[in-house]
Amino acid sequence: MLVFDKNGELFLEHVKISDIAEFYGTSTYIYSKKKIIDNFYSYKNYSKFKKMIICFACKTNSNRSILNILASLGAGADTTSGGEIYRCINAGFNPNKIVYAGVGKTKDEIEYALKNNIFMFNVESLEELETIDNTAGKLGVKARISFRINPDVDPDTHSYIVTGKKGTKFGIPYEEAENAYLIANTKKNIKIAGIHFHIGSQITNIKPFELAAKKIKKIVDIIEKNKIKISYVNCGGGLGIQYSKTSVSSEEILTPKLLIDTMFTIFNDKTLIFEPGRSIMANAGYLLTKVIYRKNIINNNKRFIIVDAGMNDLIRPALYGAYHDIIPVKNHGNNLKNNVLTDIVGPICENSDFIGKDRILPVLSQNDLLLVTCAGAYGSAMSSTYNSRPLLAEVLVDNDSLILIRKRGNYSDLTSNEIYLKKRINK
Ligand SMILES: *Cc1c(COP(=O)(O)O)cnc(C)c1O
C-alpha cells in the first residue's frame, strides 16, 4: 500500500504523500481507509461461521470519521468512558453493540450509558456493581453485565500495558469471581450476561491468551453450576502488530484467525466478543512530519534531526520506549553509502521527546518529509497540546481521494476554554 513510483515519489494507495504536506501542512496524521477495512475484515470474516461480535476498542482512535467507517461495517464498540459512548453513538454505532469497561466508571457515566441502553457493562468491582444496580433501579431499567475477571497471567508485554496479572488494578481477582457472580445474581436491576477478560496489549503470542481463556473457562463452569447462565464470553483485545519489519517476523505475529480459533475451541458453545483496537488501526495510520533543523554531534558520530512532530503528537516512544519505523518520503534508493546514525527528535523541552533513536537514515535536508509508520493506534488519540502546540490535522486516504477528517488546531483553540481573570484578586 505504501509504494514508491518510478520517479521516486511515495504513494499511499493513489495519493502522493508530498501532496498531503502541500495541501494540509505538517505534521499530519494520515489513515488508509482500505487498510482499516481490511484489518476489520481480518476479524469479521470469521463471523460467518461463528457466533461473534467485534467491538472496536475506540480509545485507540476516536476520530468520528474513523468510527463511522467501522460502525458502517457493522462493528460494535468497546468504550472506556462516557465521552467514548457519546462519540460512538454520535458516529453511528448501534448502542446495542456498545460494551463499556473501566475501573472508575462514575455514577454520571453509568447513568448516561443506561439511558442510552448500551449492550453491556464490563464490571470491575463489587462497589461498581452496587452503583450500577442502584442507578438502574432509579431509572427503572435492567443493566446487562459481565464481570471483568483478572485471570492472573503474564502476557509478556510492556509492563505499562499489562492488565491481566495479579497486582494490576484491573478486574475482579480470579479467586473472587464466583462470589461476585453469586452477589450479582441477587441484584434486582442486574442481568448477568457474560464474562470478560482483557489481559494486556501488543501481545504477539497465543500462549497467554490460551492460558487466560482456560482459567476463565473453569470459572464459567463453576458459575454455571450455580444455575447462572453465561451467554457471552468477551475475550478482550490485545492482539499485537508488527511495528518493525526487522524485529518480529510476520510468521511470528499472532493472527486474528489463530486467536479466534483458539477461543472457540475453548468456548465452543458461547457467543464470543472480541475488542481489537491496535490490530485494526495501528498499521492503517501514519504520522507525516518535516525536518526543521539538523545537528551533528561529531564525537558521538551521531546526528540529530529535529522534526515538527513532538511527544505531544505521538507519545508512544516517550511513554513506552515504543519503536516506529521512519521512512524518508524522498526515495534515496539503495545507496547506503551516506547513511548516518540518527536520532529523530521533536521540538519539546523534554529529553524524552524523541520519535526514533539510533536509526540508520540517509542524509536528510531541511524541509525533507519523513513518514512515521504504524501510528494509527494510540497516536492521535493520546496526543495533547503540551508546550501549547495545537492538535494536528488528520486526513483519510480513500483510493485516489484525500479527505480532511480533522482540521488542524490553531492558537485560539488553545485558550478557548480558559477564563481570563480581568480583575486582580484582592489579597
Ligand atoms: C485497550 C483495551 C482494548 C484494546 O486493546 P488493543 O491492544 O488495542 O487491542 C480492549 N479491551 C479493553 C477492555 C481495553 O482496555
Side-chain angles (χ1 to χ4, degrees):
M1 9 178 303
L2 263 191
V3 281
F4 284 105
D5 74 353
K6 58 182 186 308
N7 304 319
E9 287 280 356
L10 186 61
F11 280 76
L12 177 61
E13 295 179 25
H14 296 286
V15 170
K16 205 195 284 183
I17 296 291
S18 57
D19 281 350
I20 300 177
E22 194 169 314
F23 296 153
Y24 297 110
T26 56
S27 300
T28 294
Y29 273 103
I30 305 170
Y31 307 103
S32 157
K33 183 174 175 184
K34 181 174 185 308
K35 191 69 181 166
I36 296 169
I37 294 173
D38 287 352
N39 286 343
F40 179 68
Y41 271 91
S42 69
Y43 286 88
K44 167 130 176 165
N45 279 337
Y46 304 102
S47 64
K48 279 179 240 146
F49 318 108
K50 318 268 192 193
K51 287 191 293 180
M52 59 187 267
I53 306 169
I54 305 143
C55 292
F56 172 60
C58 73
K59 70 171 184 278
T60 56
N61 192 312
S62 52
N63 181 291
R64 63 197 298 198
S65 290
I66 305 273
L67 293 180
N68 179 256
I69 292 170
L70 289 157
S72 65
L73 298 174
D78 163 46
T79 60
T80 57
S81 70
E84 284 189 353
I85 295 171
Y86 167 82
R87 274 185 181 276
C88 286
I89 291 172
N90 199 262
F93 282 93
N94 191 336
N96 72 22
K97 282 190 185 171
I98 295 180
V99 296
Y100 179 18
V103 293
K105 304 176 188 80
T106 66
K107 213 196 280 174
D108 286 349
E109 288 179 309
I110 289 167
E111 188 174 321
Y112 182 71
L114 285 169
K115 281 182 173 162
N116 282 288
N117 197 19
I118 65 157
F119 179 43
M120 206 184 301
F121 290 84
N122 293 322
V123 179
E124 307 221 13
S125 67
L126 287 176
E127 289 188 355
E128 181 193 330
L129 180 77
E130 201 64 40
T131 308
I132 295 175
D133 183 42
N134 289 337
T135 313
K138 255 185 243 151
L139 295 174
V141 297
K142 277 209 164 196
R144 282 170 298 274
I145 67 125
S146 285
F147 278 110
R148 176 177 183 169
I149 304 300
N150 185 331
D152 189 22
V153 298
D154 191 343
D156 188 24
T157 184
H158 193 286
S159 65
Y160 288 8
I161 49 179
V162 170
T163 59
K165 197 166 159 11
K166 221 182 208 158
T168 63
K169 68 178 176 182
F170 298 97
I172 306 249
Y174 184 76
E175 303 78 18
E176 295 165 29
E178 182 183 10
N179 190 40
Y181 275 92
L182 291 175
I183 291 171
N185 204 29
T186 66
K187 301 285 180 198
K188 271 214 328 273
N189 311 300
I190 297 288
K191 164 103 180 66
I192 295 169
I195 195 163
H196 174 243
F197 63 102
H198 169 73
I199 55 174
S201 199
Q202 185 54 19
I203 302 165
T204 53
N205 189 305
I206 191 68
K207 281 274 140 51
F209 281 111
E210 202 173 6
L211 210 66
K214 283 182 173 157
K215 283 184 144 185
I216 295 291
K217 171 73 166 90
K218 275 192 198 145
I219 298 176
V220 170
D221 291 344
I222 292 169
I223 297 164
E224 292 195 324
K225 274 207 190 88
N226 287 297
K227 306 242 158 19
I228 298 171
K229 174 96 185 100
I230 299 292
S231 305
Y232 298 92
V233 176
N234 185 334
C235 307
L239 199 84
I241 65 130
Q242 195 184 11
Y243 275 101
S244 149
K245 292 204 176 54
T246 46
S247 69
V248 193
S249 75
S250 52
E251 297 88 67
E252 278 178 82
I253 273 292
L254 179 55
T255 59
K257 180 180 190 324
L258 180 58
L259 176 68
I260 291 167
D261 282 345
T262 306
M263 293 300 133
F264 273 102
T265 310
I266 297 168
F267 304 106
N268 49 22
D269 58 339
K270 305 292 182 200
T271 299
L272 297 194
I273 300 172
F274 292 91
E275 302 174 329
R278 189 191 306 271
S279 52
I280 305 278
M281 278 310 299
N283 62 11
Y286 302 86
L287 176 61
L288 177 63
T289 186
K290 191 169 76 179
V291 176
I292 313 176
Y293 298 119
R294 304 168 303 170
K295 276 191 193 184
N296 287 313
I297 310 294
I298 308 292
N299 46 6
N300 254 351
N301 227 348
K302 190 190 256 190
R303 161 188 77 163
F304 284 108
I305 292 289
I306 299 145
V307 296
D308 60 4
M311 64 188 281
N312 69 303
D313 303 309
L314 179 67
I315 202 175
R316 298 190 68 258
L319 191 59
Y320 314 118
Y323 178 97
H324 288 267
D325 266 341
I326 299 167
I327 308 171
V329 169
K330 199 194 289 169
N331 194 353
H332 293 255
N334 292 324
N335 179 7
L336 303 176
K337 189 172 88 244
N338 295 322
N339 284 6
V340 221
L341 193 63
T342 306
D343 280 3
I344 297 93
V345 301
I348 290 187
C349 303
E350 302 263 350
N351 219 358
S352 58
D353 180 28
F354 66 94
I355 305 287
K357 276 193 174 157
D358 296 329
R359 304 303 172 84
I360 307 292
L361 285 174
V363 171
L364 297 166
S365 311
Q366 279 183 291
N367 299 317
D368 274 2
L369 297 170
L370 295 171
L371 198 61
V372 182
T373 67
C374 294
Y378 306 106
S380 175
M382 284 181 116
S383 64
S384 75
T385 58
Y386 183 47
N387 272 212
S388 288
R389 292 162 49 81
L391 294 178
L392 303 184
E394 294 183 285
V395 299
L396 184 71
V397 168
D398 182 10
N399 196 18
D400 59 357
S401 56
L402 188 54
I403 307 153
L404 183 67
I405 59 171
R406 186 173 78 185
K407 284 191 277 188
R408 186 175 300 282
N410 58 35
Y411 290 157
S412 71
D413 294 337
L414 294 173
T415 54
S416 64
N417 282 337
E418 292 173 16
I419 293 156
Y420 191 53
L421 279 184
K422 290 203 184 69
K423 266 198 205 146
R424 282 267 176 95
I425 294 166
N426 291 325
K427 291 218 177 101

